[in-house]
């Protein structure tokens, strides 16, 4: 059992990460400005309320809790949800404050959250990648403060890895559009739409290139990453997503409708293939997501007939490897 310090533990992703790591047998210290109700905190977890941007606060908490690993999730999590300078300053300062404090204290494993948005899709000036599926080699071209702040978080971890050598292990991960457990039951997603609405209208998922990931799969990924960090290259970055796309039709058909000029690039995204590759996490870590919208929506029979029809439509496509 490890002691794991999770920043942003009260957030949409953080709650599932805290719960998943606690369920896996770890002692989890959840740190956030806002506390979750005591009854919602899983066994094996404790919470600390703190402003990690306050001078010395990250060092104080880390010294007091003495974790074996740090997972940094805390951030302004939605692009354009605050002024651009506020998003950039908050997210970059948080990443540096937490990673530098953990490094100074000597925490042996440090992981920071990034975002697929670092690639630059959705740019008003237009965007096309060199190829699909997108992976960690796809060039980063952030066009807003949120995406840039996440790229800098990755580079912050890599900077410390370059300075520390093998003494401390660092990694970053890019979780796709996060679906929390309550959203499978009909709660609105981060953008205010239900999953049924996002599936019924491809225009709602197109801005994120139809990517998604179950928050519990992210928790599983992080548990495995912490186990394997000493045996993989230091400072690695991973995409973390579902094994399929959040769509009822192949992306080879959908992508050209919403990404002009992508007909040839997306021609290989047949069947249920997603736009983002998780091959690196599969190869280096042996990680595989366990959950799909096709199985998770079907597991909630209280959802309406329209959702059931979408699940049926989504499972009708020919599977591809």
């Amino acid at each position: 059992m490890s002691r794991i310090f999770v920043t942003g533990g009260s957030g949409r992703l953080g709650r599932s990460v805290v719960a998943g790591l606690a369920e896996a047998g770890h002692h989890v210290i959840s740190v956030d400005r806002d506390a979750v109700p005591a009854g919602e905190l899983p066994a094996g977890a404790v919470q600390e309320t703190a402003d990690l941007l306050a001078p010395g606060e990250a060092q104080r908490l880390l010294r007091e809790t003495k974790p074996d690993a740090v997972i940094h999730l805390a951030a302004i999590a939605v692009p354009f949800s605050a002024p651009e300078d506020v998003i950039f300053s908050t997210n970059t300062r948080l990443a540096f404050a937490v990673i530098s404090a953990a490094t100074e204290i000597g925490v042996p494993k440090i992981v920071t959250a990034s975002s697929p948005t670092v690639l630059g899709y959705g740019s008003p000036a237009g965007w096309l990648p060199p190829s699909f599926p997108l992976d960690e080699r796809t060039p980063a071209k952030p066009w807003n403060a949120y995406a840039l702040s996440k790229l800098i978080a990755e580079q912050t971890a890599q900077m410390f890895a370059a300075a520390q050598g093998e003494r401390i292990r660092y990694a970053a991960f890019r979780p796709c559009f996060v679906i929390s457990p309550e959203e499978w039951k009909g709660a609105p997603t981060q953008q205010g739409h239900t999953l049924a609405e996002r599936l019924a209208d491809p225009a709602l998922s197109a801005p994120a290139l139809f990517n998604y990931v179950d928050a519990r799969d992210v928790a599983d990924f992080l548990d495995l990453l912490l186990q394997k960090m000493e045996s993989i290259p230091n400072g690695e970055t991973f995409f973390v997503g579902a094994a399929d796309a959040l769509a009822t039709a192949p992306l080879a058909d959908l992508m050209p409708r919403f990404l002009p000029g992508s007909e040839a690039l997306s021609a290989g995204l047949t069947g249920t293939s997603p736009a983002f590759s998780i091959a690196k996490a599969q190869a280096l870590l042996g990680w595989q997501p366990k959950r799909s919208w096709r199985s998770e929506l079907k597991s909630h029979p209280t959802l309406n007939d329209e959702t059931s029809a979408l699940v049926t439509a989504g499972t009708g496509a020919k599977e591809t490897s």
Side-chain angles (χ1 to χ4, degrees), residues 75-80 84 87 91 113-124 127 134-135 138-154 173-178 190-191 198 205-211 237-240 276:
I76 296 176
V78 181
F80 306 111
E84 289 284 83
I87 292 176
N91 290 358
S114 180
S115 167
T117 61
V118 301
L119 298 188
Y121 52 86
S123 169
W127 174 87
L134 308 169
D135 62 22
T138 304
K141 295 182 179 180
W143 63 271
N144 57 64
Y146 174 79
L148 179 58
S149 75
K150 288 300 187 178
L151 181 60
I152 290 175
E154 293 180 13
F173 70 103
R174 300 169 176 173
C176 289
F177 186 85
V178 173
Q190 191 175 53
Q191 300 301 326
R198 291 180 72 86
S205 288
L209 304 184
F210 306 95
N211 78 61
T237 296
F238 296 90
F239 274 114
V240 181
F276 292 81

Side-chain angles (χ1 to χ4, degrees), residues 104 139 148 156 160:
E104 178 184 335
L148 179 58
T156 300
F160 279 104

Side-chain angles (χ1 to χ4, degrees), residues 27 112 157:
H27 177 74
T112 188

Side-chain angles (χ1 to χ4, degrees), residues 77-296:
V78 181
F80 306 111
S81 60
E84 289 284 83
D85 62 324
V86 174
I87 292 176
F88 180 80
S89 174
T90 300
N91 290 358
T92 54
R93 289 168 59 214
L94 275 170
F96 189 86
V98 172
I99 296 172
S100 62
T103 299
E104 178 184 335
I105 290 166
V107 178
K109 298 177 183 180
I110 303 170
V111 179
T112 188
S114 180
S115 167
T117 61
V118 301
L119 298 188
Y121 52 86
S123 169
W127 174 87
L128 283 174
S131 62
F132 279 112
L134 308 169
D135 62 22
E136 294 81 1
R137 296 166 296 181
T138 304
K141 295 182 179 180
W143 63 271
N144 57 64
Y146 174 79
L148 179 58
S149 75
K150 288 300 187 178
L151 181 60
I152 290 175
E154 293 180 13
Q155 294 172 334
T156 300
Q158 291 162 0
M159 177 193 75
F160 279 104
Q164 297 297 318
E166 301 302 305
R167 186 177 78 89
I168 295 176
R169 311 296 297 187
Y170 302 84
F173 70 103
R174 300 169 176 173
C176 289
F177 186 85
V178 173
I179 306 298
S180 58
E182 63 270 18
E183 291 165 5
W184 296 122
K185 302 176 184 178
T189 64
Q190 191 175 53
Q191 300 301 326
H193 313 104
T194 66
L195 282 167
E197 289 170 335
R198 291 180 72 86
L199 287 165
D201 182 359
L204 297 178
S205 288
L209 304 184
F210 306 95
N211 78 61
Y212 79 105
V213 66
D214 189 296
R216 296 164 295 179
D217 279 329
V218 178
D220 294 343
F221 164 84
L222 289 168
D223 185 25
L224 186 58
L225 173 63
L226 292 176
Q227 295 176 42
K228 298 289 185 73
M229 283 181 76
E230 293 177 349
S231 62
I232 64 173
N234 206 0
E236 290 292 321
T237 296
F238 296 90
F239 274 114
V240 181
D244 59 355
L246 192 63
T248 60
L251 297 194
D253 299 333
L254 291 175
M255 201 70 80
R257 291 171 50 189
F258 300 99
L259 187 63
S262 66
E263 289 84 354
L265 292 172
S266 61
L269 300 179
T270 57
T272 62
S273 297
F276 292 81
S277 171
I278 55 173
K280 181 176 178 180
Q282 292 170 319
L284 283 185
L285 304 176
W287 175 74
Q288 183 69 30
K290 300 174 183 175
R291 301 163 183 92
S292 162
W293 69 263
R294 293 166 169 83
S295 60
E296 295 304 310

